[in-house]
């Protein structure tokens, strides 16, 4: 039995957001949606003190690297399709049994 772990980190530029409170009102629903839809771990990991930027990381565990890649692709498409923010970058890392 082998486990594969994939992490994707998103750098997001938020739209009409002028406070940290407004930022939370955009980011919290995204995090909840990803957790609920894909049963993944999600956290805000960067730009905590900036109200127009957010760094979100998503971690996935799977037994098959193809399935892992498919899930990460789907999550990236979903995040990039949100009108509340612009996806500045997405960085992936995969770890397998030999890493």
């Amino acid at each position: 039995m082998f486990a594969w772990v994939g992490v994707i980190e998103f750098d997001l530029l938020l739209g009409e957001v002028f406070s940290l409170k407004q930022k939370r009102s955009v980011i919290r629903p995204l995090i909840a949606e990803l957790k609920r839809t894909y049963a993944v771990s999600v956290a805000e990991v960067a730009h905590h003190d900036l109200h127009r930027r957010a760094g979100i990381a998503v971690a996935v565990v799977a037994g098959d690297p193809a399935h892992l890649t498919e899930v990460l692709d789907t999550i990236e498409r979903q995040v990039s399709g949100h009108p509340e923010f612009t996806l500045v970058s997405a960085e992936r890392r995969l770890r397998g049994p030999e890493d």
Side-chain angles (χ1 to χ4, degrees), residues 16-87:
E16 298 295 317
V17 173
F18 301 103
S19 70
L20 293 175
K21 185 176 181 178
Q22 286 180 316
K23 174 184 178 177
R24 283 192 306 274
S25 72
V26 173
I27 296 303
R28 282 186 179 170
L30 172 66
I31 290 173
E33 174 186 342
L34 294 173
K35 286 180 179 181
R36 181 181 61 253
T37 305
Y38 302 103
V40 295
S41 293
V42 186
E44 184 178 358
V45 296
H47 308 303
H48 296 285
D49 56 342
L50 301 176
H51 64 273
R52 293 208 54 226
R53 293 292 290 273
I56 305 294
V58 180
V60 182
V61 177
D64 176 352
H67 177 69
L68 187 65
T69 301
E70 181 181 320
V71 171
L72 292 176
D73 287 345
T74 303
I75 290 170
E76 185 173 351
R77 279 192 302 274
Q78 183 168 348
V79 169
S80 68
H82 273 268
E84 299 90 5
F85 47 79
T86 302
L87 178 59

